[in-house]
């Protein structure tokens, strides 16, 4: 970066900020209050933020040019990360930020204790005068050993209120309800500012933006207002996904299996469990503690400890074990606990079916399911899958035991679409089509469907000693069951194939669509096209992993 040119006209700023947020505001109402108070609008623009961090694999160059305008920032970064931590580990942020006509390189780090409603942060900022210097700053950071972690856009409307020297920033991020941030020189003034807007001090929160994103299950990696889609080569998509996984430490064969697991869901039209879910799930991979292992073993049954391992790999381990036991004993059931999430269950029952067995699988999830007018979630969405071997492609049933999967909520937020009516409920137990208000989902099939889901969860809680009702506090408190049935122990292979084929033909004659047929057709069509349309948001997220 051209430090000397910057120094001629601009001075670095180094100061402490006191600030607090109020979430889920009525934006128009707050703006009307501010304008009645006589606050002055100073900004109404989209802000672009690129966030950088040290790369643990590449130590940033510690040779600092003392005459460089960014040397104070680099010196502080080396102090913050001297024990091997990253900036994000320290809740510190190095950002290139473009806000209206103003651009800056900013280092922000906390200087207050946890548990307060108003946070104090030190901010070191250096002006970036134009697009050329923006590019120079980005290049300089990368050459020094920093990597870009996030790309984010937000719409910010800012007001200054002179009597209390307060700044009010009204921020709207993609897929996140609008909130306001109040910044001032004294904490007491921030409390007064909240009251002027009609809020109580109890509404103030010291949350960082990442805490707000987590509240709404939104990834911070790539946040854009763009609604565009881009046509992407399937081969290139697979290559990128495998590369991401290899960088996470997976061997090539495991990386391909995991990538194909999510890619197959995307190509089959199950976009809620496809590439976007891959991007989300990958963020958990660093928490794995080992490979799956058999914790309890009997001739036809087993319990597997996933060791907080990668979901698709832990499930594959169970599938292989169940199929092997079924070949020997006719039927086998393998339970899985302490594992990370995966995409669709159907891919695992399909793997069992391709080995000549009937595959059955189900798992529990965090409590999302309630009944209308209730505000107490009781069950998980508890997906269930059965796959039957046939002469050709297995027949597959893969469904949630709810009207819709809860992942549709996150998908609707990112695609800015309404939810189906009479399916999702808000915190008061009332039906809503607003994805930001949705907290629960209704069971499929009324009372019968609810009871069916209840029995699935009872099996997992009882046999695997998992406590799904605690899964909000412990994401590993869920379980899965994989069952393989070997037809050879019931009838001859010839008669089994004949019986299955005849029934499938009978249903087709009567115009019935075979379970899984729509997904299989979509998969074949997309493979033939060799390309697929993906939201730019999803592609941007994938490319920053």
């Amino acid at each position: 970066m051209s430090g000397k040119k910057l120094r001629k006209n601009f001075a670095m700023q180094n100061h402490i900020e006191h600030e607090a947020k109020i979430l889920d505001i009525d934006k128009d109402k707050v703006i009307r209050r501010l304008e009645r108070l006589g606050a002055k609008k100073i900004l109404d623009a989209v802000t672009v933020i690129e966030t950088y961090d040290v790369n643990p694999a590449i130590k940033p160059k510690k040779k600092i040019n003392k005459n460089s305008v960014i040397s104070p920032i680099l010196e502080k970064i080396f102090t913050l990360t001297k024990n091997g931590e990253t900036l994000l580990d320290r809740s510190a942020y190095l950002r290139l930020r473009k806000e209206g006509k103003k651009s800056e390189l900013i280092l922000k780090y906390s200087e207050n204790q946890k548990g307060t409603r108003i946070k104090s942060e030190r901010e070191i900022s250096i002006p970036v005068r134009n697009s050329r210097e923006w590019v120079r700053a980005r290049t300089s950071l990368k050459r020094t050993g920093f990597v870009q972690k996030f790309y984010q856009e937000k719409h910010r409307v800012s007001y200054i209120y002179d009597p209390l020297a307060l700044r009010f920033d009204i921020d709207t991020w993609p897929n996140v309800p609008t909130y306001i941030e109040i910044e001032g020189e004294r904490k007491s003034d921030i409390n007064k500012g909240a009251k002027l807007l009609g809020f109580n001090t109890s509404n103030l929160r010291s949350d960082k933006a990442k805490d707000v994103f987590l509240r709404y299950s939104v990834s911070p990696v790539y946040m854009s207002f763009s609604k565009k889609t881009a046509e992407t080569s399937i081969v290139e998509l697979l290559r990128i996904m495998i590369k991401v996984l290899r960088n996470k430490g997976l061997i090539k064969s495991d990386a391909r299996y995991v990538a194909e697991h999510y890619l197959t869901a995307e190509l089959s039209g199950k976009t809620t469990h496809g590439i976007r879910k891959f991007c989300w799930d990958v963020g958990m991979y660093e928490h794995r503690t080992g490979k799956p292992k058999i914790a309890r073993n009997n001739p036809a049954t087993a319990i597997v400890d996933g060791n907080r391992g990668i979901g698709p790999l832990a499930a594959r381990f169970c599938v292989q074990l169940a199929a092997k036991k079924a070949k020997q004993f006719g039927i086998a059931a393998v339970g899985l606990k302490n594992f990370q999430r995966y995409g669709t269950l159907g891919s695992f029952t399909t793997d069992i079916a391709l080995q000549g067995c009937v595959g059955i699988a189900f798992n529990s999830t965090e409590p999302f399911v309630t009944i209308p007018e209730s505000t107490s979630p009781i069950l998980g969405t508890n997906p269930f899958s059965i796959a039957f071997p046939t002469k050709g492609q297995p027949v597959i049933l893969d469904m949630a035991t709810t009207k819709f999967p809860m992942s549709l909520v996150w998908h609707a937020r990112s695609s800015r679409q309404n939810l189906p009516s009479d399916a999702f409920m808000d915190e008061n137990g009332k039906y809503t089509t607003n994805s930001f208000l949705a907290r629960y989902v209704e069971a499929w099939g009324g009372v019968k469907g609810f009871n069916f889901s209840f029995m699935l969860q009872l099996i997992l809680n009882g046999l695997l000693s998992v406590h799904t009702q605690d899964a909000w506090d412990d994401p590993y408190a869920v379980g899965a069951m994989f069952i393989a049935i070997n037809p050879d122990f019931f009838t001859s292979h010839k008669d089994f194939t004949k019986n299955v084929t005849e029934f499938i033909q009978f249903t087709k004659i009567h115009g019935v669509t075979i379970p899984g047929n729509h997904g299989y057709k979509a998969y074949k069509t997309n493979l033939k096209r060799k390309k697929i349309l993906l939201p730019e948001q999803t592609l941007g997220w994938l490319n920053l992993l």
Side-chain angles (χ1 to χ4, degrees):
M1 191 191 322
S2 178
K4 291 182 178 179
K5 290 182 178 179
L6 283 172
R7 188 184 295 277
K8 288 180 181 178
N9 298 309
F10 298 94
M12 179 190 74
Q13 295 184 25
N14 186 333
H15 62 280
I16 294 177
E17 294 180 339
H18 300 298
E19 57 189 40
K21 292 180 176 64
I22 300 173
L23 306 184
D24 298 359
I25 65 166
D26 182 328
K27 180 178 178 179
D28 293 335
K29 183 178 179 181
V30 168
I31 287 176
R32 286 195 297 270
R33 276 184 172 267
L34 284 168
E35 292 182 347
R36 282 201 300 268
L37 288 169
K40 179 183 177 183
K41 182 191 285 189
I42 59 170
L43 180 71
D44 187 345
V46 171
T47 299
V48 176
I49 303 167
E50 293 181 4
T51 301
Y52 293 82
D53 201 350
V54 295
N55 185 345
I58 305 173
K59 293 282 187 182
K61 297 173 184 176
K62 293 193 175 183
K63 186 177 180 181
I64 300 173
N65 179 1
K66 296 294 184 180
N67 294 321
S68 170
V69 72
I70 67 170
S71 61
I73 284 182
L74 293 179
E75 287 174 350
K76 187 60 187 180
I77 287 172
F78 296 145
T79 300
L80 290 170
T81 61
K82 65 182 179 181
N83 294 324
E85 295 175 296
T86 66
L87 290 173
L88 294 177
D89 290 336
R90 296 291 305 270
S91 293
Y93 299 91
L94 177 63
R95 293 167 171 161
L96 270 172
R97 184 175 70 186
K98 187 181 298 179
E99 193 171 77
K101 296 180 180 181
K102 179 183 177 182
S103 298
E104 299 173 291
L105 176 64
I106 299 168
L107 175 65
K108 205 170 188 179
Y109 55 97
S110 180
E111 291 211 340
N112 74 316
Q113 297 178 345
K114 293 182 180 180
T116 60
R117 293 192 180 276
I118 300 173
K119 70 174 185 272
S120 301
E121 292 186 315
R122 183 168 293 279
E123 180 177 294
I124 306 174
S125 61
I126 299 166
V128 177
R129 296 181 300 179
N130 51 48
S131 59
R132 183 177 295 179
E133 286 189 353
W134 180 282
V135 173
R136 282 201 196 113
R138 180 191 289 158
T139 302
S140 176
L141 289 170
K142 291 180 178 179
R143 283 178 178 171
T144 308
F146 294 92
V147 290
Q148 185 177 348
K149 304 296 289 187
F150 306 143
Y151 172 86
Q152 298 163 327
E153 296 174 2
K154 66 178 175 183
H155 181 251
R156 169 167 280 188
V157 180
S158 298
Y159 286 82
I160 292 291
Y161 183 63
D162 287 333
L164 293 175
L166 292 176
R167 174 172 171 140
F168 297 90
D169 292 321
I170 302 169
D171 287 341
T172 303
W173 299 80
N175 316 321
V176 177
T178 300
Y179 63 77
I180 187 168
E181 188 169 80
I182 308 174
E183 179 185 330
E185 296 177 0
R186 292 187 295 270
K187 294 181 180 181
S188 59
D189 290 338
I190 293 176
N191 290 327
K192 292 176 184 176
K195 291 178 180 178
L196 286 173
L197 296 180
F199 298 104
N200 298 316
T201 55
S202 60
N203 296 125
L204 294 171
R205 305 173 67 99
S206 61
D207 296 8
K208 294 179 181 292
K210 68 173 185 177
D211 301 316
V212 180
F213 303 153
L214 184 61
R215 177 184 176 91
Y216 296 103
S217 299
V218 172
S219 169
V221 177
Y222 192 91
M223 303 178 72
S224 169
F225 289 110
S226 172
K227 295 183 180 180
K228 295 180 181 178
T229 57
E231 197 170 51
T232 307
S233 160
I234 292 172
V235 171
E236 177 63 9
L237 196 56
L238 181 62
R239 184 195 68 79
I240 295 171
M241 294 170 74
I242 290 174
K243 181 181 178 182
V244 168
L245 294 167
R246 294 282 281 152
N247 289 339
K248 295 290 182 181
L250 275 67
I251 62 173
K252 191 172 183 179
S253 58
D254 286 349
R256 175 171 285 277
Y257 179 83
V258 173
E260 288 179 345
H261 169 73
Y262 291 96
L263 182 57
T264 297
E266 187 75 38
L267 298 178
S268 301
K270 295 195 171 186
T271 53
T272 54
H273 292 72
I275 307 304
R276 187 181 179 278
K277 193 168 192 307
F278 168 81
C279 293
W280 183 268
D281 289 352
V282 162
M284 293 292 293
Y285 287 1
E286 63 190 48
H287 300 300
R288 62 190 189 272
T289 56
K291 294 182 178 181
K293 64 180 181 180
I294 299 174
R296 182 167 183 169
N297 198 22
N298 291 296
T301 65
I303 295 178
V304 172
D305 181 353
N307 270 317
R308 299 194 172 189
I310 295 170
L313 299 182
R316 180 183 66 177
F317 182 91
C318 295
V319 162
Q320 293 171 344
L321 183 60
K324 181 180 178 181
K325 286 178 176 290
K327 293 290 185 182
Q328 186 176 358
F329 297 104
I331 186 168
V334 177
L336 174 64
K337 56 195 295 186
N338 192 28
F339 61 99
Q340 295 182 16
R341 302 300 186 261
Y342 39 64
T344 62
L345 270 179
S347 65
F348 307 125
T349 53
T350 298
D351 286 347
I352 294 174
L354 290 174
Q355 296 184 61
C357 294
V358 177
I360 302 173
F362 50 95
N363 67 255
S364 56
T365 71
E366 298 87 344
F368 280 117
V369 180
T370 187
I371 55 177
E373 304 300 324
S374 173
T375 57
S376 299
I378 301 168
L379 303 177
T381 57
N382 302 349
F384 179 82
S385 177
I386 303 178
F388 256 80
T390 68
K391 284 184 177 179
Q393 176 70 14
V395 174
I396 310 160
L397 169 70
D398 185 3
M399 58 176 239
T401 54
T402 48
K403 288 184 175 180
F404 296 93
M406 197 64 190
S407 53
L408 186 62
V409 172
W410 329 135
H411 185 74
R413 288 176 183 174
S414 63
S415 59
R416 301 174 185 83
Q417 296 176 347
N418 285 332
L419 295 168
S421 59
D422 298 338
F424 295 91
M425 286 163 276
D426 62 19
E427 61 185 10
N428 298 313
K430 305 295 184 182
Y431 285 119
T432 181
T433 59
N434 186 328
S435 61
F436 291 110
L437 298 179
R439 295 292 182 271
Y440 318 120
V441 62
E442 191 174 357
W444 143 89
V447 173
K448 291 181 179 179
F450 185 91
N451 290 342
F452 177 73
S453 181
F454 173 86
M455 296 307 292
L456 293 180
Q457 192 160 316
L458 192 61
I459 291 172
L460 297 170
N461 282 32
L463 299 183
L464 302 183
S465 299
V466 294
H467 303 283
T468 305
Q469 61 271 25
D470 299 329
W472 280 119
D473 298 318
D474 178 8
Y476 299 99
V478 296
M481 186 69 72
F482 301 89
I483 301 170
I485 303 172
N486 186 349
D488 295 344
F489 279 68
F490 295 83
T491 184
S492 69
H493 179 74
K494 180 180 179 181
D495 285 346
F496 174 78
T497 303
K498 178 176 177 292
N499 295 337
V500 170
T501 302
E502 285 180 352
F503 184 65
I504 290 174
Q505 289 175 343
F506 170 76
T507 54
K508 284 183 175 179
I509 288 171
H510 288 77
V512 176
T513 300
I514 304 301
N517 195 47
H518 286 309
Y520 183 65
K521 282 185 176 180
Y523 177 78
K524 297 295 286 185
T525 299
N526 282 320
L527 275 186
K528 188 175 181 179
R529 288 183 65 245
K530 298 182 179 181
K531 292 183 179 181
I532 190 170
L533 281 175
L534 285 176
E536 282 189 357
Q537 275 200 50
T538 302
L539 284 173
W541 188 358
L542 180 63
N543 283 310
L544 280 177
L545 293 176

